[in-house]
């Protein structure tokens, strides 16, 4: 059974940092891309960042460019989202998801497995 489990969320002051983790298990994720999305209260789910399985191709939403970085661990079983210079508008539930494709994508419809999410709250 495929499972994605996010962790690392919490409460942080504006300007602070958090690192989210997404542990993938259940089958080999070789040739899958990993993506991070977020959803704030009353808003639609929003793309944040995505990384190819090789790790050498990433895409990042303009709203977080220069502040957030996506990466894999060496075994390609855990993905990370390093979030720096956090702003109150980054407050949301953050989800990781996987898509069976070579290139990273911002399209939620391409992702087949989703985690349960982790809450990130940034205070002003």
């Amino acid at each position: 059974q495929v499972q994605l489990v996010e962790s690392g969320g919490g409460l942080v002051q504006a300007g602070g940092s958090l690192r989210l983790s997404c542990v993938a298990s259940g089958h080999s994720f070789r040739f899958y891309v990993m993506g991070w999305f977020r959803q704030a209260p009353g808003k639609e789910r929003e793309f944040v960042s995505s990384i190819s399985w090789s790790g050498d191709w990433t895409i990042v939403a303009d709203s977080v460019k220069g502040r957030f970085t996506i990466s894999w661990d060496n075994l390609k079983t855990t993905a990370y989202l390093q979030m720096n210079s956090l702003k109150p508008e980054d407050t949301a539930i953050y989800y990781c998801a996987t898509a069976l494709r070579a290139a990273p994508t911002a399209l939620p419809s391409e992702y087949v497995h989703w985690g349960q999410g982790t809450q990130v709250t940034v205070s002003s």
Side-chain angles (χ1 to χ4, degrees):
Q1 181 177 354
V2 175
Q3 190 172 21
L4 301 176
V5 179
E6 303 96 336
S7 63
L11 174 64
V12 64
Q13 288 188 332
S17 297
L18 285 173
R19 189 176 78 158
L20 304 184
S21 299
C22 174
V23 177
S25 63
H27 73 81
S28 172
F29 286 89
R30 187 177 178 87
F31 304 126
Y32 277 70
V33 305
M34 181 70 78
W36 285 96
F37 292 79
R38 67 186 182 184
Q39 188 166 18
K43 295 187 177 181
E44 293 189 355
R45 190 165 295 189
E46 174 190 20
F47 169 74
V48 176
S49 188
S50 179
I51 186 169
S52 63
W53 184 82
S54 66
D56 57 6
W57 189 354
T58 63
I59 57 174
V60 183
D62 288 342
S63 60
V64 304
K65 195 166 292 182
R67 300 187 297 122
F68 291 12
T69 303
I70 191 171
S71 63
W72 284 106
D73 71 337
N74 290 337
L75 296 178
K76 304 293 195 301
T77 58
T78 302
Y80 302 101
L81 185 68
Q82 178 66 43
M83 307 187 296
N84 299 327
S85 302
L86 283 161
K87 304 175 181 180
E89 51 263 45
D90 294 319
T91 295
I93 298 174
Y94 283 71
Y95 301 89
C96 62
T98 59
L100 182 57
R101 50 182 289 133
T105 178
L107 296 175
S109 59
E110 292 287 320
Y111 290 83
V112 294
H113 305 299
W114 292 81
Q116 293 300 305
T118 184
Q119 176 71 48
V120 171
T121 303
V122 184
S123 63
S124 58

